[in-house]
Amino acid sequence: MKLKRVAALLLALILGFTLFISGCGRNAAPPQNQKGFDAVVSAAKGTTVNFYSWGGDEKINKWIDTVLAKNVKDNYGITLKRIPMDDTQTAITKLMDEKQSGVDKGSIDMLWVNGENFYTAKENGLFYGPFTAELPNFQKYIDQDSDDIKYDFGVTVDGMEAPYAKAQFVFINDSSVTPETPKNAQELLEYAKKYKGKVTYPAPPDFTGSVFVRQIIYDVVGYDKVNAAGTDKEKIKAAIQPAMDYLKELKPYLWKEGKTYPASSGQLDNMFADGEVVMDMNYDPNTVAAMIDKGTVKDTARDFIFDKGMIGNTSFLAIPANAPNKEGAMAVINAILTPELQASKYDPSNWGALPVLDNNKLSDSEKQLFDKIPLGKGVIPQSTLLSKRQPELPASVVPIIEEIWQSEIPNK
Amino acid sequence: MNRLKADKSAFVPTKTGKKRHRLSRALICLSYFLVLFPLLILFVWSFTGRWSWPHLLPETFSARALGELFGGYSGAVQVLLSSILLSTAVALIAIAVSVPAARAIVLTAFWGKDFLKFIVLLPVIVPATAFAMGVHMLFIRVGLSDTVVGVILIHIILCLPYTVRIMSEVTAATGDRLEAQARVLGASPKKTLISITFPLAMPGIISAFCMAFIVSFSQYFVTLLIGGGTVTTYAMFMFPYIQSGDRTIAAAYSLLFVLSTLLVFIVLERRIKKYYNIEDVFFFS
């Protein structure tokens, strides 16, 4: 009897709680901002902007805390507060929870995001916008027809996020250790045979390991063929089979005979710094300069790329639909799109991120800001990188390729 | 054979005693080594530029971790201080809740006692991420999300399994007989609490405080999820560096993490010893 009563009580409690939860949810539509940008700036004055940003790089953090924060304080009277994350997904989780509970005033004003996280956020209506058309500097300096601005991992941006920095995948090795720089997948295989056990890549779904697999697919199969396969797993699998065969052929020459892989890009960077492997790779071409600058690798380390080109992406800044200070975030994003800040961000002694502005839209004095910045040690010039730039695959295809890699490569 | 050996040793007890003494000293040295050596490595890494195989010592040194921690621009020191304050508050409240809860669980009988004991342990049984998301949804509803109070509450919930457990063991060991005796001899309830209950529970309270402090001080994910931008903690600064594999910066952050925790514990113990005038109990110093 007693047990039954307890069970009934529990059930009633659970039911009640569920009803309570589902009853509370309501959808907050993003308010349309009709005000001109001057009104945005005056509303933003004296406010604080909470900027959720990946916090794993000392230089990037320092640039935000010193250069960017000072700039927006001086120009707009805004206090920029950086909230460090180890994974942008945490912020997306938070926004999803808030959306489900109908919170129309959250705590995130501005978010550094791209790829799958943007795809999830856009699908679920987590972001505010479109807002980029309202930013004067977006109108003035950005080539709005370029694919790098229009698409984020194959997803149309539609003004829901503003470009922050460009990145491009590169390989890294040390000329004093290995003079060769493989120019295609075939040469990479020869390289791995020569330096047996000293080449590897991070295991997907690590961001860098995942782009390495796509880079191999591009080189062996070609971007057009994979992209034409759509989002069907079987079709993708058939299309990328030659690349999977290549990775199987490569496997026995890898570190630990390819039976295990570094779990993260950071681990591979450390293995390269320690001399445990002879080759590193990164989605940021300036990483090598940063590593030389930090002193973790010798100054003979340098980038190298495949002849056919390397995958590039753009990372963006978005404003959540429930951001408490949308005006402040817009003002900060507008500031980030100035030639001064893009040039300062491009400076390898600050960060070294590739700028997102259209060179043709810059005045001569603005162009000089970029021209006078020295190229980071070991880094391939921006013009060479951009001429060899390949687009990313759609964000929904990326996890499918990761799955195929997982089932085809490590355990076979 | 064994017997013969045993007999022989019985005749020369001093020698065996010495041997035992040596063994225990070796064990003590080994445990010191096991604790201090990793700390030493952290210290060296904090100032290392490049340290590749097969070099026994770092090849180059770098002061960039010093700049990151104490350069002023990252705000690491202010965040460290506010984190210590936050975790101290969490630990104190967790103890204030745990001491009476433990007494109730151990000393009284009530309906649903086993169920309550189980509920208290839930935060460590349920996977942390799922638990945090559930709490987040609830906190949003009751308006505790993105507030300092919300962060303190979720930290307390995560501390309770440890503090209630520790206090229960201590309460079970001491019982309430001495208190009863004091009351029989005419002490007021207040006097009993101050002179009997607290001093008896103090070793447990100190252990529970330390445990709660560490649990709270190292929370990263829930602080970010529940606190939003309103609360930034030292762990939130530290974890991205550990995750991204920047060993120099991560080592410096970790070292400061360990040292500041230790400092809090030592200060706490000194104060308590002074207050209760006890010299013969050693926790940290």
Side-chain angles (χ1 to χ4, degrees), chain A residues 2 6 10 17 20-21 24-25 50 52 54-59 61-62 65-66 81-87 90 93-94 97-98 100-101 103 105-107 264-267 269-271 273-275 294-298, chain B residues 45 48-54 59-60 62 64-65 68 73-75 111 115 132-134 136-138 140-142 145-146 220-221 224-232 236-237 239-241 243-249:
Chain A
K2 210 174 176 183
V6 174
L10 266 179
F17 189 67
F20 179 58
I21 285 195
C24 272
N50 282 329
Y52 278 57
W54 176 73
D57 190 291
E58 162 211 5
K59 283 185 144 189
N61 294 344
K62 190 177 172 185
D65 290 339
T66 55
K81 188 177 174 194
R82 179 174 62 82
I83 320 289
M85 300 177 288
D86 76 335
D87 188 343
T90 312
T93 305
K94 188 169 166 62
D97 285 0
E98 287 172 354
Q100 278 173 39
S101 321
V103 174
K105 196 163 173 270
S107 65
S264 70
S265 175
Q267 196 183 334
D269 289 343
N270 284 340
M271 286 163 70
D274 294 348
K294 286 174 187 167
T296 56
V297 301
K298 287 189 202 149
Chain B
W45 258 116
T48 294
R50 185 169 65 248
W51 191 1
S52 69
W53 189 83
E59 294 153 82
T60 59
S62 158
R64 66 195 177 92
E68 162 72 25
Y73 49 83
S74 69
W111 183 82
F115 187 59
M133 282 165 74
H136 186 216
M137 297 292 273
L138 182 71
I140 286 172
R141 252 156 249 296
V142 295
S145 181
D146 299 337
Y220 158 73
F221 179 71
L224 188 57
L225 194 66
I226 306 281
T230 45
V231 184
T232 33
M236 276 164 73
F237 275 59
F239 272 102
Y241 285 116
Q243 192 258 349
S244 75
D246 188 329
R247 288 175 293 199
T248 304
I249 302 268

Side-chain angles (χ1 to χ4, degrees), chain A residues 18 98 136 193 237 279 345 393:
Chain A
T18 321
E98 287 172 354
K193 281 180 183 169
K237 197 173 169 185
M279 188 180 117
K345 185 161 66 66
L393 284 172

Side-chain angles (χ1 to χ4, degrees), chain B residues 122-137:
Chain B
L122 269 183
V124 265
I125 299 170
V126 178
T129 316
F131 178 77
M133 282 165 74
V135 172
H136 186 216
M137 297 292 273

Side-chain angles (χ1 to χ4, degrees), chain A residues 8-70:
Chain A
L9 190 72
L10 266 179
L11 207 67
L13 270 175
I14 291 169
L15 262 175
F17 189 67
T18 321
L19 283 175
F20 179 58
I21 285 195
S22 50
C24 272
R26 64 200 151 85
N27 289 321
Q32 288 301 310
N33 196 327
Q34 301 292 346
K35 292 180 271 181
F37 194 71
D38 286 343
V40 168
V41 169
S42 60
K45 197 164 186 192
T47 61
T48 297
V49 171
N50 282 329
F51 179 19
Y52 278 57
S53 164
W54 176 73
D57 190 291
E58 162 211 5
K59 283 185 144 189
I60 299 176
N61 294 344
K62 190 177 172 185
W63 181 79
I64 295 170
D65 290 339
T66 55
V67 182
L68 179 61
K70 187 176 179 313

